[in-house]
Amino acid sequence: MTTFPSRRDAWLLALVGVGFLGTVISMFGLLSSSEPAFVRYGLPALMVATFAFVGWIFASTRYELTDTTLTARSGPLQWHVALDQIEEVYPTRNPLSAPALSIHRLGIRVRGGGLVLLISPADRDGFLAELVRRTPGLVKDGDRYHRA
């Protein structure tokens, strides 16, 4: 198995950092307020849990290639794609929600047209080289790869 971490865009890290800073400031305000206890302690606990979840996603988003499968992991979520089902791999900047921490993404279209998995490996060239090596029949055509 070969593992590739997700690329992380600086603007996304900054956005999360500003959100975290605002949350910390809000938490101190809530803790020292005269609000009911469930608000004073419950909301900060919810905020901490939310940022722990976001941190888990940032720390764990990665892509694993075996001889037969591509697995994308992000926090508690996993996507599995059989390599022999991949029809096309292409660069995209699609902003849809995906196991990707960067807007510089690869779209992976699976046979039957149902699934397009969006990923953002930090080492895009290394990932593509390994994917092509493990996926017979996948050939380069410009900046895309497709089934021959």
Side-chain angles (χ1 to χ4, degrees), residues 8-59:
R8 292 168 174 84
D9 282 349
W11 67 268
L12 185 57
L13 291 170
L15 183 66
V16 169
V18 167
F20 180 73
L21 183 61
T23 299
V24 169
I25 292 168
S26 297
M27 282 176 36
F28 283 118
L30 276 172
L31 290 171
S32 63
S33 74
S34 61
E35 295 292 332
F38 73 90
V39 173
R40 270 196 336 258
Y41 303 114
L43 285 178
L46 182 61
M47 291 175 190
V48 168
T50 299
F51 273 96
F53 182 73
V54 170
W56 182 16
I57 289 172
F58 267 81

Side-chain angles (χ1 to χ4, degrees), residues 69-144:
T69 307
L70 162 62
T71 301
R73 299 182 189 276
S74 186
L77 305 173
Q78 297 180 32
W79 294 259
H80 303 281
V81 174
L83 298 182
D84 64 357
Q85 295 298 306
I86 294 175
E87 285 294 318
E88 182 181 20
V89 180
Y90 56 93
T92 183
R93 293 176 70 89
N94 186 330
L96 289 178
S97 179
L101 301 176
S102 172
I103 198 71
H104 301 281
R105 298 174 172 188
L106 293 172
I108 299 175
R109 191 171 56 81
V110 177
R111 188 171 291 151
L115 174 67
V116 174
L117 180 64
L118 301 173
I119 63 172
S120 61
D123 178 9
R124 181 185 284 203
D125 293 336
F127 174 84
L128 287 169
E130 189 66 21
L131 181 67
V132 168
R133 186 182 75 73
R134 293 174 187 249
T135 310
L138 206 56
V139 296
K140 185 171 179 144
D141 182 11
D143 61 353
R144 297 174 175 260

